[in-house]
DNA sequence: CGTGCGAAG
DNA sequence: CTTCACACG
């Protein structure tokens, strides 16, 4: 059995599971439909090379079981679902049908990082019915950028930290709800050769932590996103060889420890303190994802006083479309 | 019937013609072979998305009839075959198996333009047995560049015009043979908004023409390449709307007229003075090639005294792999 | 529309 | 290895 996604001239025309032997006719149809071009007659143009992309072994997101029976420690069932995903370019993600995940998972709030796209260039296909959408991009074209989908309209949405030096890269969106603040962040990567480690450790980390502390004074905080750090050795496949790599330097790990010491909880590690091999990012290089040579860089960080409301935190490692996979938090609020 | 070329992870695994109905089993095999990944076990990595590119409606170059019975005016059969092709990036061209054209056509000399590649980055796959290869690239990475394949080793190969201001972009290769000079050129494009029209008309065109005249004093010249001009209205699909477009300005057309007035012949137009719709370039935009909305930008220009040796000049419009197609000249020499 | 590049991850 | 931007065509 193998999964195939077929797109012609960048338009996905089929996603399906093929069982060999039984499906030769089906495969022929699939190929014919692609070879003849997209359905719209106007686009035909006989004789032109039509380029199709086929991806094999991509699980169909609509067939994944996203149900969850998790409860709080005192037995209350979850009533709010949050998801977070670094999508590595919303335009590429959209072409790969990444947004079909939204309907399949159907979270109350979905946070996206690395949209790499200005608001007015965001493809229309990502407008999913039933969600309000909020987008933030920075000064640099095609770099960074975050987004937030919400079933319920937030009381207020704020962009950035309110600190100029941090707010040029479209990294933080804060949405205020009745009972909590939702914050999504795409934390600055220290970079190859660690050129931005100083900025990250000395400027960003303290200011971002202070920002969350400030919010936490008013309402409990649910913060999520790509924090660009694997906190402990258990959070990446190769801790030994990565002590000087962006995402696992002592400085970055310390920043995360500091954050947690200020009254916040890493919800995944809280629930699964011993779980190994739980990663949310795999480099595209060297087939890392297939070998699960990954990093846990994506988190739901919650205010300590939300611990009694915590039901579950799941890593959706079977969802493709980016070098990160989505993560989902279940809460009773 | 449809032509399919299938490559997995950038490695072409199959090029074939599919006849619907008869070939369902074959298609199934094709898909299985791709879905299971390339043959080499070491590359496998189960569970990873494998990306395949499929191109439909690409004629198989090995099935094209390149034979030619043409003779000179006084009835002598051709004994030398020359081809020229602007390949729009030798690396992309190679991935598309563009070089299979060389074996299929088997010209004595093949000239390439727009290789867009430094000598040491040229893929090994283009090393075709039986040919000497000569490469020229300019200062700017991934820009311009020319190449020459020759079955017979030339007496001498020279690069550029010997004029510094013209020789930084890898545009001209001259190969001296016993009976003639072979010159291939990628003439500077005037550019969108015609920023380089002045350079092209006032500097390049006169110097290049003078260069050819100089060679012509010693031996007859066969010059070919992308001259980046459609000479007359008959040489492009939309002359009316392109009078101010690069490639059809009065200045560029005049440059070509000047060249021909200095004792050179446009071999194609010499043979087919009335033939319309004979183009060698089609923009990728708007399905231009399928509609034959093209330009004749590629030429074999020969010394007037070679006219008695001219057998034929054919435009290989069924050969894909670039936004230009190859052209082939048959001579009795 | 498609090439190659370079920055970034 | 993949994204996007940009230059160039």
């Amino acid at each position: 059995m193998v999964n195939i996604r077929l797109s012609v001239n960048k338009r996905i025309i089929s996603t399906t599971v093929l069982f060999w032997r039984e499906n030769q006719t089906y495969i022929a149809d699939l190929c014919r439909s692609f070879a003849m071009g997209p359905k719209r007659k106007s686009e035909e143009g006989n004789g032109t090379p039509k380029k199709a992309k086929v991806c094999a072994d991509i699980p169909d997101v609509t067939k994944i079981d996203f149900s969850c029976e998790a409860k709080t420690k005192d037995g209350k069932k979850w009533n709010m679902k949050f998801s977070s995903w670094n999508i590595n370019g919303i335009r590429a993600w959209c072409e790969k049908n990444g947004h079909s995940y939204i309907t399949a998972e159907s979270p109350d709030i979905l946070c996206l990082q690395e949209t790499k796209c200005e608001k007015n260039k965001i493809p229309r296909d990502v407008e999913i019915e039933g969600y309000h959408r909020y987008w933030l991009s920075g000064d640099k074209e095609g770099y960074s950028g975050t987004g937030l989908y919400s079933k319920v309209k937030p009381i207020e949405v704020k962009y950035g930290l309110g600190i100029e030096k941090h707010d040029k890269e479209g990294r933080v969106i804060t949405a205020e709800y009745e009972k909590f603040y939702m914050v999504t962040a795409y934390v600055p990567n220290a970079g190859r050769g660690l050129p931005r480690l100083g900025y990250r450790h000395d400027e960003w980390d303290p200011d971002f932590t202070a920002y969350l502390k400030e919010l936490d004074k008013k309402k409990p905080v649910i913060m999520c996103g790509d924090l660009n750090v694997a906190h402990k050795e258990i959070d990446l496949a190769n801790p030994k060889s990565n002590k000087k790599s962006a995402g696992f330097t002592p400085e970055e790990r310390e920043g995360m420890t500091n954050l947690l010491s200020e009254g916040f909880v890493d919800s995944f590690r809280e629930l699964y303190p011993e779980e190994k091999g739980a990663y949310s990012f795999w480099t595209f290089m060297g087939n890392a994802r297939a070998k699960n040579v990954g990093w846990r860089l994506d988190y739901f960080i919650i205010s300590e006083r939300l611990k009694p409301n915590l039901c579950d935190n799941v890593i959706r490692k079977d969802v493709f479309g980016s070098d990160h996979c989505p993560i989902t938090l279940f809460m009773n609020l």
Side-chain angles (χ1 to χ4, degrees), chain A:
Chain A
M1 192 205 92
V2 80
N3 274 291
I4 302 233
R5 184 177 60 214
L6 202 145
S7 57
V8 174
N9 290 349
K10 293 203 168 183
R11 235 170 57 102
I12 290 174
I13 61 167
S14 168
T15 313
T16 188
V17 182
L18 299 181
F19 295 89
W20 302 115
R21 287 167 206 252
E22 294 104 290
N23 274 287
Q24 296 190 350
T25 317
Y26 182 79
I27 298 162
D29 280 346
L30 190 71
C31 282
R32 175 166 48 239
S33 78
F34 114 70
M36 298 314 178
K39 277 142 211 165
R40 286 180 276 165
K41 276 263 160 164
S42 64
E43 278 183 17
E44 290 242 311
N46 232 325
T48 347
K50 291 185 192 71
K51 283 184 189 162
K53 239 191 193 173
V54 190
C55 291
D57 295 340
I58 304 255
D60 181 351
V61 83
T62 66
K63 307 255 160 74
I64 297 177
D65 180 14
F66 289 125
S67 67
C68 172
E69 296 302 317
K71 292 174 177 159
T72 61
K73 264 194 182 160
D74 52 343
K76 277 181 261 169
K77 224 215 140 195
W78 67 271
N79 59 10
M80 287 285 280
K81 188 200 251 197
F82 307 88
S83 295
S84 175
W85 195 1
N86 177 320
I87 56 174
N88 190 32
I90 197 165
R91 284 166 287 192
W93 176 76
C94 183
E95 262 173 23
K96 287 177 283 196
N97 252 345
H99 54 295
S100 61
Y101 166 70
I102 305 176
T103 327
E105 172 86 79
S106 191
D108 294 282
I109 302 173
L110 167 67
C111 298
L112 301 179
Q113 300 86 40
E114 281 209 89
T115 51
K116 296 185 174 185
C117 193
E118 271 178 17
K119 201 172 178 171
N120 56 18
K121 291 183 184 167
I122 287 175
R124 305 295 308 272
D125 287 356
V126 306
E127 293 173 13
I128 307 290
E129 186 134 5
Y131 284 97
H132 302 86
R133 292 177 306 280
Y134 304 91
W135 303 111
L136 176 61
S137 62
D139 292 353
K140 213 188 299 180
E141 265 292 86
Y143 177 71
S144 189
T146 42
L148 190 148
Y149 284 76
S150 180
K151 282 186 180 171
V152 171
K153 198 180 167 79
I155 297 165
E156 194 182 1
V157 175
K158 282 190 177 167
Y159 300 98
L161 300 178
I163 301 170
E164 217 198 318
K165 67 175 172 181
H166 299 311
D167 290 349
K168 293 180 176 171
E169 296 183 327
R171 296 185 176 277
V172 179
I173 300 176
T174 306
E176 183 181 349
Y177 294 88
E178 201 195 325
K179 298 183 184 165
F180 61 93
Y181 284 107
M182 179 84 228
V183 179
T184 187
Y186 172 51
V187 169
N189 192 304
R192 299 217 175 150
L194 308 173
R196 285 191 101 185
L197 183 57
Y199 166 69
R200 163 76 174 271
H201 180 258
D202 303 337
E203 306 181 53
W204 171 277
D205 278 350
D207 289 352
F208 186 50
T209 300
Y211 176 78
L212 295 176
K213 264 180 85 175
E214 216 43 53
L215 289 180
D216 189 45
K217 285 179 189 164
K218 296 181 245 171
K219 290 180 187 179
V221 172
I222 299 170
M223 187 273 278
C224 70
D226 176 358
L227 305 193
N228 259 318
V229 61
H231 188 207
K232 303 274 168 121
E233 302 225 335
I234 197 175
D235 294 315
L236 72 167
N238 294 316
K240 306 282 172 286
S241 55
N242 280 306
K243 307 231 173 199
K244 287 172 183 178
S245 305
F248 198 60
T249 61
E251 291 89 338
E252 291 161 300
R253 298 172 62 188
E254 189 211 6
M256 173 115 187
T257 303
N258 286 344
L259 171 64
L260 298 182
S261 74
E262 296 287 354
F264 296 99
V265 174
D266 170 355
S267 60
F268 180 85
R269 205 46 86 194
E270 173 72 19
L271 292 163
Y272 307 102
E274 310 291 341
E275 187 159 328
K276 292 175 188 172
Y279 310 128
S280 65
F281 162 83
W282 306 262
T283 170
F284 284 122
M285 295 165 221
N287 248 339
R289 189 161 183 172
K291 301 178 206 147
N292 198 29
V293 177
W295 303 55
R296 194 165 69 95
L297 301 180
D298 301 273
Y299 299 83
F300 278 99
I301 305 292
I302 60 176
S303 294
E304 216 143 49
R305 63 185 184 281
L306 287 179
K307 258 166 69 174
N309 307 84
L310 178 59
C311 296
D312 205 357
N313 185 328
V314 189
I315 301 180
R316 300 299 193 200
K317 68 181 171 55
D318 295 331
V319 178
F320 286 79
S322 166
D323 47 358
H324 293 247
C325 74
I327 56 173
T328 296
L329 176 76
F330 296 90
M331 299 284 284
N332 175 285
L333 288 166

